[in-house]
Amino acid sequence: MMDKLIFGRYIPGTSWIHKLDPRAKLLGTIIFIGIIFLANNWQTYLLLLVFALGAIHLSNIKLSFFINGVKPLIWLILFTVVLQVLFTGGSTIYFDWGPIIVSQEGLINGVFIFCRFVLIIFMSTLLTLTTMPLSLTDAIEYLLRPLKVIKVPVYEIALMLSIALRFVPTLMDETEKIMNAQRARGVDFGEGNIFQQMKAIVPILIPLFVSSFNRAEELATAMEARGYKGGEGRTKYRKLDWVSRDTVAMLVYALLTVGLVVFRN
Amino acid sequence: MIVLTKFGLKKAGKETTLFQDIEREECSMDKIITLKEISYQYHETDERQALNNVSLSIEEGEWIAIIGHNGSGKSTLAKTINGLIAPSQGEVTVGGLVLSEENIWDIREMVGMVFQNPDNQFVGSTVQDDVAFGLENQGIPRDDMIERVKSAITRVKMEDFMEKEPARLSGGQKQRVAIAGVVALRPQIIILDEATSMLDPQGRQEVLATVKEIKEKANLTVISITHDIDEAANANRILVMKNGELVQEGSPEEIFSYGDQLIEMGLDLPFAEKLKSDLRDRGIDVPAEYLTEEGMVDWLWTLLSKK
């Protein structure tokens, strides 16, 4: 179960996408999620799909990783798609039963929403797979910098994010361990009705919470012992370099946006 | 010595007393850590104190092992040294500074700490980021930082793992990174708070060898809190804690000669001691004093060749 959730994992590499500045990648992903709503016909979706697949190809990471990224969310996606299909009215109606209508528009909408979800997951997975969590938080910190004016603790947010991301695999491993330990004592996961299943979660959640508190305490002590006294007066080991490659990436995004505007209805 | 000759030229008659004075002063200079009657309890309602009237001093360049049962106050003691815990009574002096609110960060710069759990002290996302974390906190310029990170990582022989994330490292490797993080800060004192307790025997030996090597090169003071006999055997001096009090103090030879009582102190028996007690059980007369493994071998062959 844990292996399927690949969000937050980073795959080291030296591809073109890997070498992009994290700010460029983060901005790009945000832009992509924004402009995906411009797409409203098959040409525009095709354009986005080609773009996403092209980016994936450039990253030298197997497509199966991305498909695995979609898998845990597939039920949510299908649920939304089904709702969309069943409750969208239109001119060409295939099936009509009270409030439930299956129309041509509904079906097309459903397909589009499916594509939209998958594309967003592909692109955000691409971001996390090719960007080190710390670079990503560096990028977030950089992009949030203007908010310092209104007293947003930008540095602290970035630190929390980087620690959270760094602990994702650790906590996953721990969850797996606790689950196996509870299994060994006879707890059944994923069996019985919904209430029994929810009850079976408790023996995982509580130890996980408690151990997270302990971890937090120990980490805070270790950080303090190493001289951490807040964001003020710190220097940075990691430096972000915006090079021509990153400008090119941004130009590609601009072209993509123009393309979408041209091709949309 | 230069001071001495200067004075010596002026007042040749007082040479001896002067020499004694200077020697005494040098001794107190050498004492890098002094604890005076430290007491501490975690909660006001606690009946027992975590630390009870502990006084000790540690000299520069010493390797000190603190042993004792779980809950005997060893870790609490270590935490008072760099101000992670403020003692309710007593005075802590580190490197000539009396620990207080104002100089707590100066003292933390002098004291590097490696904790028990390798996962819970790894702050950075990769090895090099983690090593750099402490340097970033001190506001070291970036160029300087890159060089220091690199040399610290090379020292612990992790240079092939610079870009690796913690999830991909073994416990021993993570612990070596933690040591590199401390070494990069160039402290005068390193505290190992059961730093090897979660490692396998091989990882444990590697980490200890690393610390030993670094200690020799930089004349560090090492305080190691441990249940591990090898780690304690490395020390110049062993302190034994019990119920928050310092109950014994001595060289490893002295402490190890307590034999079976060692287990009560929270340590395992050294191999030579185990062999001795097994021999004693079989009616062989063994010497009472502590023998190292080499000493034991010597004693055995002398015993056999006499017969």
Side-chain angles (χ1 to χ4, degrees), chain B residues 32-225:
Chain B
I32 194 156
I33 298 170
T34 322
L35 303 188
K36 246 191 238 161
E37 292 161 10
I38 298 291
S39 293
Y40 181 77
Q41 57 196 130
Y42 280 93
H43 299 287
E44 282 176 19
T45 49
D46 280 359
E47 279 178 27
R48 207 165 53 79
Q49 288 195 307
L51 287 179
N52 189 4
N53 211 15
V54 176
S55 297
L56 61 96
S57 62
I58 293 168
E59 277 168 35
E60 209 177 326
E62 255 190 315
W63 182 308
I64 299 284
I66 304 179
I67 61 169
H69 274 297
N70 290 332
S72 59
K74 310 181 297 285
S75 297
T76 316
L77 185 69
K79 282 180 186 163
T80 51
I81 292 173
N82 70 349
L84 288 170
I85 279 173
S88 44
Q89 250 181 59
E91 194 181 82
V92 181
T93 316
V94 180
L97 296 174
V98 177
L99 184 74
S100 68
E101 284 280 334
E102 292 85 54
N103 60 24
I104 191 162
W105 296 106
D106 298 328
I107 284 178
R108 281 183 192 163
E109 271 180 38
M110 284 190 256
V111 185
M113 242 177 139
V114 181
F115 294 91
Q116 181 175 22
N117 188 326
D119 247 324
N120 294 357
Q121 55 179 319
F122 208 110
V123 190
S125 309
T126 65
V127 168
Q128 49 176 341
D129 289 307
D130 191 64
V131 175
F133 179 75
L135 299 172
E136 290 179 320
N137 290 337
Q138 290 189 10
I140 310 280
R142 188 165 177 269
D143 296 329
D144 202 8
M145 197 145 63
I146 291 170
E147 193 234 312
R148 278 168 76 164
V149 167
K150 202 150 183 240
S151 78
I153 292 178
T154 317
R155 263 198 182 171
V156 300
K157 301 183 185 73
M158 289 289 288
E159 54 271 49
D160 297 338
F161 299 88
M162 294 269 279
E163 297 282 350
K164 291 270 190 293
E165 313 98 272
R168 288 160 191 271
L169 301 177
S170 72
Q173 288 172 331
K174 275 180 229 173
Q175 219 55 329
R176 278 198 275 167
V177 174
I179 292 169
V182 164
V183 167
L185 290 169
R186 300 185 182 154
Q188 288 153 272
I189 303 154
I190 288 186
I191 302 178
L192 305 172
D193 188 354
E194 297 193 35
T196 59
S197 66
M198 290 175 89
L199 305 180
D200 56 21
Q202 197 199 343
R204 185 175 292 188
Q205 266 172 9
E206 280 173 16
V207 166
L208 281 181
T210 311
V211 177
K212 210 170 176 183
E213 200 188 314
I214 293 165
K215 180 195 175 296
E216 301 299 306
K217 275 187 192 154
N219 190 34
L220 291 171
T221 309
V222 177
I223 302 172
S224 84
I225 294 166

Side-chain angles (χ1 to χ4, degrees), chain A residues 171 174 207-217:
Chain A
L171 287 178
E174 181 159 358
L208 201 57
F209 258 108
V210 173
S211 93
S212 301
F213 276 111
N214 290 336
R215 268 182 207 283
E217 171 119 35

